[in-house]
Amino acid sequence: MTFDLTRIRKDFPILQREVRPGVPLVYLDSTATAQKPLAVLDAMEAYYRFSNANIHRGVHTLAEEATTLYEQAREKIARFIHAPSPRQLIYTRNTTESINLVAHTWARASLKSGDLIILTEMEHHSNLVPWHMLAAERNLRLEFIPVTAEGLLDLAEYQKLLEQGPRLVSFTQMSNVLGTINPAKEMIRLAHQAGALTLLDGAQSVPHFAVDVQELDVDFLAFSAHKLCGPTGIGALYGKTTLLEAMPPFLGGGDMIREVHLRSFKPNALPYKFEAGTPAIAEAVGFGAACDYLTGIGMAAIAAHEHEITAYALERLEEIPGVKVFGPGIKDKGGVAAFTLEGVHPHDVAQILDQDGVAVRAGHHCAQPLHEKFNIPATSRASFYLYSTREDVDRLVEGIYKVKKYFG
Amino acid sequence: MDDLYREIIIEHYKNPGYRGKLDPHDFSFADSNPLCGDHIEVTLRVGAGGVISEAAFDGHGCAISQASADLLLESIIGKSLDEVKQLTKQDLLDLIGLDLGPVRLKCALLSLKVLKAGVYGLGAASDDLVD
Ligand SMILES: Cc1ncc(COP(=O)(O)O)c(C=O)c1O
């Protein structure tokens, strides 16, 4: 199947809108959240219009249908990441909650004072703060794989850290600021060799290229639906079965139990053990539809398209005097271009770009330590997805020249 | 929208009249806007009768935050501490002459928040100060 950009753009109603009269939207903030195709919107609306009911309780037709849709979505999502079984796919609210789940259950039950967790300097706050909190509670040690000046992980330092016998290595497969695609498979192999478990933050990788948990041999994978064209409010945690089975439950309540007595309970089987209370059912349906949509287009084709757009963006941005793009060259980079413009605060860049309908994000992108490392308070960030075009990049570049004129 | 970058804002951003740090000073306070990393420190000297005689701000951030700080300090010279305590969000918006959305409002109000927290002698700058 060929990659038909015009048709793809027609799938996303929001891309048709004008930001204000006469100013079409140029959406370059998919790293924060992706836009949603009709396939997802329709699936969610159909669910509410036709099948809405609570799940796993009740035998009436709607309850059966809702349960089937919810579980079919789980199968689709599990298949999307090549999980051996849908029972290994736990619904959460987002990547952040998935990481917190591992911190609260596996880590809290398994780690003791003095144990070491290895993270990296390029982590999103969601893969830092849960560990800060647990480290304070359990007196754990945290070490960080350094980021080199080019924006790559220093793998020699990683090997040295591994000699200290970590219990867990938790890192992002792709940086949401630098765009760096880390060599996850090799890093996981080395972690296992050192006797550590691995948690992969897939928030940016799973939406943008094929991720195969079996090939990676990763122990845990966390990701969010909203970054892969699905709805907000739902995400997933994949885990290896033996680990998930041994872990204590997360939140307590309905659905996560097998039996409840006045003074005790028995947890439910996987994956329900980790899913307390009425879940985000329509969102799960939308999540599944999003995986189907992306699979239909093909993750390899999507990755190739983004690679081409990103290469073009780097080329155009680097020719603007005063612009500095952070992160590695195109070889190791996903569809993210975080940059500074000399003499202008990123917030002002983003605001002036917005006048022309160009939506970029400005700030530290929930990666404050990384910005501290590069000694900058903030960057502007343009990011790309399957629906991004070369014209989008051209509008961005024109906008930056306009910013320069204002502040010139 | 173009109004956001009216000449007065760009001018006060590029050539601020009150940038710096007074040493010694009678009041000082600093705070950041976590969203964008804007940072502002205000130092004041107060003369007879509690009237502000000198003011300066230091820090970094977007044009809106820095220009607002400059315009704000310009406006309080000769005012009493009690008058500063009475300043409201609307006073600042009138001063800069901008109509801002919720995100940029935080940038504009940072300097007022810092100023009032300093004058009140508070430990932390609460958003209540600029509501
Ligand atoms: C690398 C990375 N990890 C984690 C997250 C957190 O995702 P969520 O806010 O959906 O939990 C993000 C989102 O910005 C991200 O880019």
Side-chain angles (χ1 to χ4, degrees):
Chain A
M1 206 183 82
T2 57
F3 187 86
D4 184 345
L5 187 53
T6 313
R7 245 197 61 199
I8 287 170
R9 286 184 66 84
K10 288 210 180 94
D11 292 336
F12 292 81
I14 209 169
L15 298 179
Q16 271 47 264
R17 86 160 261 191
E18 296 181 334
V19 174
R20 59 193 71 83
V23 183
L25 171 67
V26 175
Y27 188 73
L28 296 178
D29 198 18
S30 294
T31 291
T33 199
Q35 296 302 349
K36 322 302 177 199
L38 278 169
V40 169
L41 304 178
D42 290 348
M44 292 176 72
E45 184 174 333
Y47 166 78
Y48 274 131
R49 280 180 180 275
F50 197 70
S51 309
N52 178 54
N54 211 329
I55 52 164
H56 299 147
R57 44 189 106 163
V59 290
H60 57 77
T61 304
L62 296 192
E64 291 285 7
E65 274 183 30
T67 305
T68 304
L69 286 166
Y70 182 75
E71 293 304 331
Q72 276 174 349
R74 192 194 305 275
E75 286 165 24
K76 292 173 185 186
I77 302 157
R79 227 178 294 129
F80 191 66
I81 57 163
H82 304 269
S85 157
R87 300 196 324 120
Q88 294 171 262
L89 198 289
I90 295 152
Y91 285 126
T92 61
R93 280 193 305 138
N94 46 38
T95 305
T96 303
E97 187 172 285
S98 299
I99 296 172
N100 275 278
L101 192 160
V102 177
H104 277 264
T105 62
W106 174 80
R108 200 178 248 162
S110 315
L111 301 186
K112 54 186 193 313
S113 176
D115 278 351
L116 171 66
I117 296 175
I118 296 182
L119 308 167
T120 85
E121 287 181 343
M122 65 168 74
E123 295 312 308
H124 188 277
H125 296 167
S126 62
N127 194 27
L128 291 170
V129 181
W131 306 117
H132 292 161
M133 289 164 67
L134 190 70
E137 184 189 308
R138 287 294 153 97
N139 191 28
L140 306 176
R141 286 184 301 136
L142 304 179
E143 291 291 346
F144 301 87
I145 307 172
V147 173
T148 66
E150 311 85 74
L152 300 172
L153 288 181
D154 185 335
L155 296 177
E157 279 303 314
Y158 175 44
Q159 302 248 28
K160 276 192 216 148
L161 288 174
L162 285 175
E163 286 167 17
Q164 299 183 31
R167 299 289 311 278
L168 176 72
V169 180
S170 185
F171 65 101
T172 187
Q173 191 170 13
M174 177 174 144
S175 162
N176 64 318
V177 178
L178 304 170
T180 316
I181 298 172
N182 291 316
K185 188 175 173 185
E186 176 64 4
M187 289 173 67
I188 290 164
R189 190 184 68 77
L190 291 169
H192 286 162
Q193 219 170 52
L197 290 186
T198 52
L199 189 165
L200 199 55
D201 174 348
Q204 295 304 337
S205 57
V206 174
H208 296 281
F209 50 87
V211 172
D212 181 332
V213 291
Q214 296 188 70
E215 197 215 327
L216 289 168
D217 194 27
V218 71
D219 300 289
F220 297 107
L221 173 73
F223 57 108
S224 300
H226 71 94
K227 294 188 198 276
L228 52 77
C229 301
T232 54
I234 192 159
L237 174 71
Y238 159 85
K240 283 186 179 163
T241 303
T242 45
L243 290 167
L244 294 176
E245 277 177 346
M247 279 152 60
F250 182 35
L251 302 176
D255 256 13
M256 54 75 69
I257 40 80
R258 186 185 314 252
E259 292 172 26
V260 180
H261 309 286
L262 273 184
R263 295 184 190 280
S264 65
F265 76 97
K266 283 207 178 97
N268 205 337
L270 290 180
Y272 311 113
K273 170 173 144 185
F274 297 105
E275 296 176 359
T278 299
I281 307 168
E283 285 76 4
V285 171
F287 194 173
C291 291
D292 274 353
Y293 177 77
L294 294 176
T295 304
I297 291 166
M299 291 309 288
I302 290 171
H305 172 71
E306 284 178 33
H307 188 79
E308 191 214 309
I309 295 288
T310 309
Y312 178 63
L314 293 183
E315 188 189 306
R316 293 290 325 266
L317 286 171
E318 275 158 9
E319 77 194 20
I320 308 173
V323 167
K324 179 172 167 21
V325 180
F326 291 83
I330 186 68
K331 184 172 80 62
D332 299 296
K333 201 179 183 79
V336 179
F339 62 93
T340 52
L341 174 61
E342 205 183 327
V344 188
H345 191 277
H347 233 143
D348 296 317
V349 173
Q351 185 90 49
I352 295 172
L353 288 174
D354 181 66
Q355 291 176 11
D356 293 330
V358 179
V360 301
R361 187 162 169 200
H364 51 52
H365 319 295
C366 298
Q368 207 171 351
L370 182 68
H371 283 77
E372 280 168 7
K373 166 103 186 183
F374 285 101
N375 218 350
I376 38 171
T379 50
S380 306
R381 180 185 71 187
S383 53
F384 312 106
Y385 207 1
L386 71 162
Y387 40 67
S388 303
T389 66
R390 288 168 81 93
E391 293 71 47
D392 290 344
V393 174
D394 294 338
R395 295 267 305 279
L396 168 70
V397 170
E398 283 161 28
I400 295 173
Y401 276 110
K402 190 164 155 187
V403 176
K404 282 169 69 88
K405 219 164 72 197
Y406 269 101
F407 281 85
Chain B
M1 277 303 263
D2 277 274
D3 279 357
L4 263 189
Y5 292 91
R6 287 177 318 140
E7 238 151 75
I8 179 170
I9 296 293
I10 301 277
E11 187 49 37
H12 279 267
Y13 173 64
K14 288 169 86 175
N15 302 305
Y18 293 84
R19 187 170 265 289
K21 212 166 170 169
L22 300 174
D23 192 22
H25 51 255
D26 299 306
F27 289 93
S28 79
F29 200 81
D31 197 23
S32 308
N33 177 349
L35 177 83
C36 44
D38 290 352
H39 182 83
I40 283 182
E41 178 177 12
V42 169
T43 44
L44 301 178
R45 281 189 192 140
V46 181
V51 168
I52 293 167
S53 57
E54 285 174 85
F57 76 97
D58 204 6
H60 53 79
C62 62
I64 307 277
S65 73
Q66 306 294 298
S68 299
D70 202 51
L71 283 157
L72 176 65
L73 295 196
E74 184 179 75
S75 79
I76 62 165
I77 303 291
K79 284 212 169 107
S80 72
L81 292 173
D82 281 336
E83 281 174 291
V84 167
K85 286 181 185 171
Q86 305 306 320
L87 288 174
T88 64
K89 164 172 141 186
Q90 196 52 48
D91 293 330
L92 185 93
L93 294 180
D94 290 346
L95 202 58
I96 59 177
L98 296 179
D99 186 17
L100 298 168
V103 175
R104 294 317 291 277
L105 198 56
K106 283 204 167 23
C107 303
L109 292 177
L110 177 62
S111 52
L112 181 60
K113 206 164 87 172
V114 166
L115 175 67
K116 287 179 77 173
V119 169
Y120 274 109
L122 301 175
S126 145
D127 283 338
D128 295 342
L129 290 170
V130 292
D131 260 356

